[in-house]
Amino acid sequence: MDTHPQSSTTLREILGILTFQGGYNTNAVLAGVILLGTAAGVVGVFALLRRRSLVSDAIGHATLPGIALAFLVAILIGASERSLPILLLGAAATSALAVAAIAAILRYTRLREDAAIGIVLGVFFGVGVVLLSYVQHPANTSGASPAGLHHFIYGQTAAMRAGDAFLMATLAIISLAIILALLKELVITTFNSEHARVLGLPTSFLDATLLFLIVLVTVAGLQAVGLILVIALLIIPPVAARLWTDRLPVLIPAAGAIGALSAYAGAAASATLPRTPTGSVIVLAAGAMFLISLMLAPRHGVLATTLRKATQRLRIAGEHLLEAAYEHSVSRRGITSFSNRSLQAMQRLWGWPFWMRPVVLASLRNKGYIQRTQQGYQLTGQGVARGARIARNHRLWDQYLRTHADAAPGHVDWSADMVEHVLSPEIIAELEAAILDAQAPVPKAPRA
Amino acid sequence: MNLAPNVDLFPILAAVLAALSCGLLGNFLVLRKLSLMGDAMSHSVLPGLVIAFMITGSRTAPVMFLGATLAGIATVVLVELIKRLGRVEPGAAMGVVFSVLFALGVLLIERAARNTDLDADCVLHGQLETLFWPEAPQRWMGVLHPDTLAAAPPQVWTLAITAALVVAFVLVLYKELRLAAFDPALATAQGFNATLMHYALMILVAGATVAAFEAVGSILVIAMLIVPAAAARLLTDRLPTQLLASIAIAVAAAFAGYLGSIAIPDAFGKPQVNAAGSIAIALGSLFTLAVLLGPRYGALPTAIRRTILSRRIALDDLLTTLYRHEEGRPIARAIAKRTYARARRLGLVEQQSNTLTAAGRHRAADLIRRHRHWETYLVQRAGISADHAHDPAEHLEHLADPRPSGMPKFDPHGKPIPPQSKQDHERRVP
């Protein structure tokens, strides 16, 4: 197990790096990684919207043969085998080949996209692994050591120099620039390809551009995140951002921000802690942000949704009670009180859990619809009016279904039970008009 | 190439057994378009394995399988959860789950399980080349001796049992698997639980991944799961044939890959390369062969069939044209009979090869131009739809040229209109 003590020095180190005090190299790498995260998040939004997220899996794995080949070629032509541009060029070349292979399989065979991606992923990675094993033997490489290639698989920012970081940053900025330049076209093509084609936009060119951008971001991210996990940076930030907003102008920067933050946190942690592959930490950071978004996002988050549903359930339960109490009072000529026994009967009828009754009663009392009496409770004037209105909605809908929807009288009650809570004034007016047209009696309006 | 039982038997066995399990299971993934679930599963079993190892300190098969099974179940559950709660499409949900789990696995390996049997490279590409069977007999046939079998390394048994389990699963539940693969709704309606089948399949995939872990590593398992089934899919439409074909392809690739990883570098005087990757390359090659040469759907047979059909159609077209020339009144028939000779006599058709001469082509181009001009005119000015314009143009081309304005280059069907040459004057029809 790990014997490295979790001391305050480590924490201070991380904070130091996070605040850009880690030295020139570290700062450059951190800046580059932040740009990478942003680019990956933004490109990932379009990949997600066009359902191309998993192609990045194949693209990532397919960089391996390219890297190994570029290594060999570099030795052959006498260049430095660590030359990053050559290695990344090789990576891009085989990734592009992988994309073409997937397209070819889809075009010329009857296999579907999932199988095509899996085939290309597996075979290309296999080629890469073989080439990597070939390159491990110094006899094959005239002594040049492929030690650094391992970092492209899992990502290791600690092995990056400032120059590498600049290249990464440049590729990231180019990706962002292309997206910005083609933003309108990409948006239209994503949401309505028919419309785009009518407008004369070259949809297949834009699709190819998106794939090219995925390749660019993947290649840029190889050193930091590694080829296996770079897909995560393209998928997780957009998915997390999606939970916060439905609007594209907000989604794109949000995804970029989440990507940047994950990359930032992950890179800093990986630089400090030993034996920590950067790719893993960045992805775990992104995963954590996803989890937080899942829980806390104001509209679609789990907490918000649960709260919304609970509030709605409470309101409906309260309205049921008011309506029942009103009907009860009508049948007893205006006596608006109801006993605890009646309450128990209602609770059983509607199947309320044990805790719902006190909560509903408290809520109704709070809003001034009921008040406590010696024997139980009593409707206030407001309560009577509200109960009457709900009851009327129920009967309106009831009547409407009978006259217009041919519903059997015995079947309308449960539907009205649900619909009565959500009828707006406009709909009520429409219903009244429709029923009058059908010459059916309209339930009387409440007095208040 | 020198092969020895104590060095090569185990790897070959491991590769073949892994290929059998994965190749067979993969069919149901490919058919149900769940290939990427196999991809996801092979990535996400990793933390299961590592955590099981960390807790128990052992790498025995039952422990590993338990870890993998739990990880597999967790994957399926999490993917469903994220699909629902996160409102994302299945592919993205899978991507989120497996990448986070895989990242966790890698981190745990690096920090907690280093310098042990479980290392990151095993994840990538297994360790076929390093699997030794020291007590293996000197001669290959000696393997079948009961004592030898008793002394076999435990991984061989793990792989064999997994393969047996997979085969048993497919045989016993064949009808249900088939139905669930092609029509899950009907399957559920018929009373057996398609969801349960899905979970069972996924757990077996996780198990096969673990079994193949040592052989080919968890990432190359993807190739073994998907490629044989996909290749078999291109060769046949019948499920039993597809299952057998996928097994054959997988096992053949296992042999070819392993032997190739030794023999091919050997031919160049180089040491053995990675065997698992070689198997993946062999799979890719067989797949490509299936795409190109598959008797029913392969590119080459299809092209050949298409060429044969084209030739037949051309001949048929020529014959029907001649027939139509011969139809009609006796004078027309007589004229038709002599038209070819006349064309040759007038220097419009070559004597030997029966193709157009330059003069013949010029005259034909005139007519085609007039035909396509008529089509353009009829569509643009007379409101006739493009698919109705051909027949009237066929008649009118012999009589006049409407010369539509604007010198159009293409007719309504997109065919090019032959341009007028400089010295052109109307010829009267003889």
Side-chain angles (χ1 to χ4, degrees):
Chain A
M1 283 294 291
D2 184 24
T3 56
H4 185 95
Q6 203 49 286
S7 61
S8 55
T9 334
T10 319
L11 216 57
R12 220 179 300 140
E13 271 179 67
I14 297 186
L15 282 172
I17 295 183
L18 283 173
T19 49
F20 286 92
Q21 287 165 35
Y24 179 67
N25 245 1
T26 320
N27 290 344
V29 168
L30 207 58
V33 152
I34 290 176
L35 281 167
L36 170 74
T38 317
V42 170
V43 171
V45 167
F46 290 98
L48 180 69
L49 291 174
R50 309 215 56 182
R51 297 171 189 260
R52 286 207 164 301
S53 304
L54 280 170
V55 178
S56 9
D57 204 13
I59 292 179
H61 285 78
T63 55
L64 187 60
I67 296 172
L69 273 172
F71 183 82
L72 289 169
V73 164
I75 296 176
L76 215 65
I77 65 176
S80 157
E81 68 274 7
R82 290 179 193 283
S83 157
L84 195 60
I86 297 184
L87 293 174
L88 293 189
L89 203 64
T94 46
S95 310
L97 208 65
V99 171
I102 294 178
I105 295 181
L106 288 176
R107 179 131 175 252
Y108 296 112
T109 73
R110 57 186 184 163
L111 295 168
R112 299 300 173 89
E113 188 173 37
D114 62 314
I117 291 177
I119 294 170
V120 169
L121 197 163
V123 175
F124 271 69
F125 192 70
V127 174
V129 158
V130 165
L131 286 173
L132 205 63
S133 73
Y134 177 78
V135 146
Q136 305 287 11
H137 294 279
N140 299 337
T141 60
S142 351
S145 158
L149 295 186
H150 194 258
H151 293 312
F152 286 98
I153 302 182
Y154 294 108
Q156 189 51 270
T157 49
M160 283 173 65
R161 297 188 302 258
D164 305 335
F166 286 141
L167 186 53
M168 177 167 73
T170 313
L171 292 174
I173 292 178
I174 294 178
S175 313
L176 285 168
I178 296 180
I179 290 256
L180 225 64
L182 292 174
L183 190 60
K184 261 209 311 271
E185 288 81 356
L186 279 170
V187 170
I188 300 181
T189 323
T190 305
F191 287 108
N192 197 340
S193 56
E194 282 304 326
H195 185 54
R197 232 169 285 142
V198 164
L199 286 178
L201 292 177
T203 38
S204 41
F205 168 73
L206 287 168
D207 209 26
T209 308
L210 183 62
L211 288 168
F212 169 70
L213 284 169
I214 297 179
V215 169
L216 208 59
V217 168
T218 304
V219 163
L222 283 178
Q223 295 178 276
V225 196
L227 56 95
I228 303 183
L229 287 171
V230 70
I231 173 188
L233 216 52
L234 280 160
I235 293 188
I236 302 184
V239 168
R242 188 81 183 77
L243 292 166
W244 293 87
T245 174
D246 290 326
R247 301 181 46 233
L248 198 60
V250 181
L251 184 62
I252 295 178
I258 294 179
L261 251 139
S262 318
Y264 170 61
S270 159
T272 342
L273 305 167
R275 302 205 315 270
T276 319
T278 320
S280 305
V281 191
I282 291 183
V283 171
L284 287 172
M289 303 203 64
F290 169 73
L291 218 61
I292 296 176
S293 307
L294 194 64
M295 287 295 128
L296 300 180
R299 193 184 295 183
H300 301 300
V302 169
L303 284 177
T305 316
T306 316
L307 199 65
R308 223 184 8 249
K309 286 204 188 130
T311 320
Q312 192 164 351
R313 208 174 156 199
L314 194 65
R315 178 174 72 88
I316 291 180
E319 287 181 355
H320 270 150
L321 200 158
L322 287 176
E323 181 192 359
Y326 170 77
E327 302 272 6
H328 197 47
S329 81
V330 163
S331 67
R332 291 187 308 157
R333 303 216 192 99
I335 299 177
T336 57
S337 61
F338 48 95
S339 65
N340 280 320
R341 220 158 16 121
S342 318
L343 273 175
Q344 268 171 350
M346 291 183 207
Q347 182 173 358
R348 251 197 321 271
L349 176 67
W350 295 320
W352 283 358
F354 69 94
W355 49 266
M356 198 158 232
R357 191 172 115 191
V359 176
V360 170
L361 288 171
S363 152
L364 288 176
R365 264 215 333 268
N366 198 18
K367 295 200 195 127
Y369 290 133
I370 62 178
Q371 58 200 31
R372 244 225 176 103
T373 63
Q374 273 152 343
Q375 295 90 357
Y377 290 86
Q378 186 184 28
L379 286 174
T380 62
Q382 261 188 304
V384 167
R386 188 148 176 92
R389 195 162 49 239
I390 302 285
R392 182 164 188 268
N393 285 354
H394 184 124
R395 304 220 191 114
L396 262 179
W397 189 248
D398 201 308
Q399 192 70 291
Y400 177 80
L401 285 178
R402 281 184 227 224
T403 55
H404 284 72
D406 254 346
H411 286 182
V412 298
D413 193 48
W414 64 265
S415 161
D417 233 14
M418 294 193 282
V419 175
E420 66 193 3
H421 303 284
V422 295
L423 296 176
S424 69
E426 294 84 15
I427 297 187
I428 291 178
E430 272 188 56
L431 286 175
E432 287 172 346
I435 293 175
L436 273 174
D437 268 344
Q439 287 161 348
V442 177
K444 289 221 297 274
R447 263 151 297 164
Chain B
M1 184 170 60
N2 277 335
L3 295 180
N6 59 338
V7 173
D8 297 305
L9 173 60
F10 189 1
I12 293 182
L13 253 183
V16 167
L17 287 170
L20 175 58
S21 316
C22 297
L24 190 52
L25 277 180
N27 282 289
F28 301 101
L29 291 176
V30 170
L31 282 173
R32 301 195 57 192
K33 308 194 194 29
L34 285 175
S35 314
L36 292 172
M37 205 55 188
D39 180 7
M41 197 65 68
S42 63
H43 284 79
S44 43
V45 293
L46 185 62
L49 294 176
V50 181
I51 294 178
F53 173 74
M54 281 166 62
I55 295 181
T56 65
S58 94
R59 258 193 88 186
T60 59
V63 169
M64 294 282 111
F65 271 92
L66 190 63
T69 308
L70 290 174
I73 297 179
T75 309
V76 180
V77 168
L78 285 172
V79 169
E80 289 302 310
L81 213 64
I82 292 185
K83 252 181 9 189
R84 231 172 1 107
L85 293 178
R87 311 174 318 139
V88 282
E89 50 134 356
M94 276 193 265
V96 172
V97 171
F98 86 69
S99 58
V100 171
L101 287 179
F102 189 77
L104 184 64
V106 169
L107 190 64
L108 288 174
I109 285 189
E110 282 294 308
R111 285 181 65 86
R114 253 291 179 85
N115 302 325
T116 65
D117 288 337
L118 201 64
D119 77 352
D121 280 339
C122 197
V123 168
L124 290 187
H125 54 63
Q127 43 188 22
L128 264 182
E129 311 84 351
T130 61
L131 297 178
F132 292 115
W133 187 343
E135 293 94 5
Q138 290 300 98
R139 288 177 37 222
W140 292 91
M141 278 298 121
V143 178
L144 299 173
H145 195 275
D147 287 340
T148 318
L149 285 176
Q155 290 99 326
V156 175
W157 289 113
T158 314
L159 282 163
I161 293 177
T162 311
L165 267 174
V166 168
V167 172
F169 176 73
V170 172
L171 281 177
V172 167
L173 289 176
Y174 176 72
K175 282 216 224 31
E176 288 80 0
L177 278 170
R178 182 179 60 184
L179 199 53
F182 291 110
D183 198 342
L186 180 60
T188 316
Q190 290 214 333
F192 62 87
N193 200 335
T195 316
L196 206 63
M197 193 77 56
H198 180 70
Y199 270 86
L201 184 65
M202 286 301 137
I203 290 177
L204 270 176
V205 168
T209 305
V210 173
F213 193 69
E214 289 212 51
V216 290
S218 62
I219 299 193
L220 286 171
V221 155
I222 299 172
M224 264 190 177
L225 279 169
I226 300 181
V227 181
R233 184 91 185 87
L234 297 178
L235 295 175
T236 173
D237 289 326
R238 300 197 52 240
L239 186 58
T241 319
Q242 183 182 322
L243 293 179
L244 288 172
S246 64
I247 295 177
I249 293 173
V251 170
F255 266 111
Y258 182 78
L259 297 175
S261 73
I262 302 176
I264 298 182
D266 199 39
F268 293 89
K270 308 277 187 190
Q272 183 183 15
V273 289
N274 184 275
S278 309
I279 296 179
I281 296 179
L283 284 170
S285 313
L286 288 174
F287 174 75
T288 312
L289 280 177
V291 170
L292 292 175
L293 300 179
R296 193 180 292 196
Y297 298 105
L300 196 60
T302 309
I304 293 177
R305 272 196 295 269
R306 208 178 290 146
T307 314
I308 296 177
L309 187 63
S310 300
R311 280 174 22 136
R312 182 159 68 80
I313 290 178
L315 183 61
D316 287 347
D317 276 347
L318 178 63
L319 294 177
T320 52
T321 310
L322 292 176
Y323 186 95
R324 290 197 179 94
H325 270 294
E326 292 177 10
E327 272 182 324
R329 299 173 323 165
I331 280 205
R333 243 181 288 150
I335 292 176
K337 273 194 188 158
R338 290 172 174 58
T339 305
Y340 239 123
R342 191 148 167 264
R344 279 201 291 271
R345 217 173 45 240
L346 287 173
L348 299 172
V349 166
E350 298 283 359
Q351 294 290 342
Q352 303 296 82
S353 61
N354 284 330
T355 49
L356 293 170
T357 61
R361 189 164 295 116
H362 185 89
R363 180 159 162 174
D366 264 352
L367 280 156
I368 297 285
R369 184 184 320 116
R370 279 190 242 174
H371 177 101
R372 292 180 182 167
H373 275 168
W374 272 113
E375 283 188 341
T376 312
Y377 177 84
L378 287 169
V379 168
Q380 285 178 354
R381 299 302 192 88
I384 297 192
S385 66
D387 55 346
H388 286 170
H390 179 83
D391 287 341
E394 272 290 282
H395 298 294
L396 294 165
E397 73 189 13
H398 302 287
L399 303 176
D401 187 348
R403 296 229 182 90
S405 60
M407 281 292 136
K409 294 228 177 65
F410 293 96
D411 76 356
H413 304 112
K415 300 220 192 94
I417 299 183
Q420 205 118 9
S421 66
K422 286 232 175 70
Q423 315 134 308
D424 223 6
H425 39 276
E426 287 290 331
R427 280 215 190 120
R428 290 201 46 217
V429 178

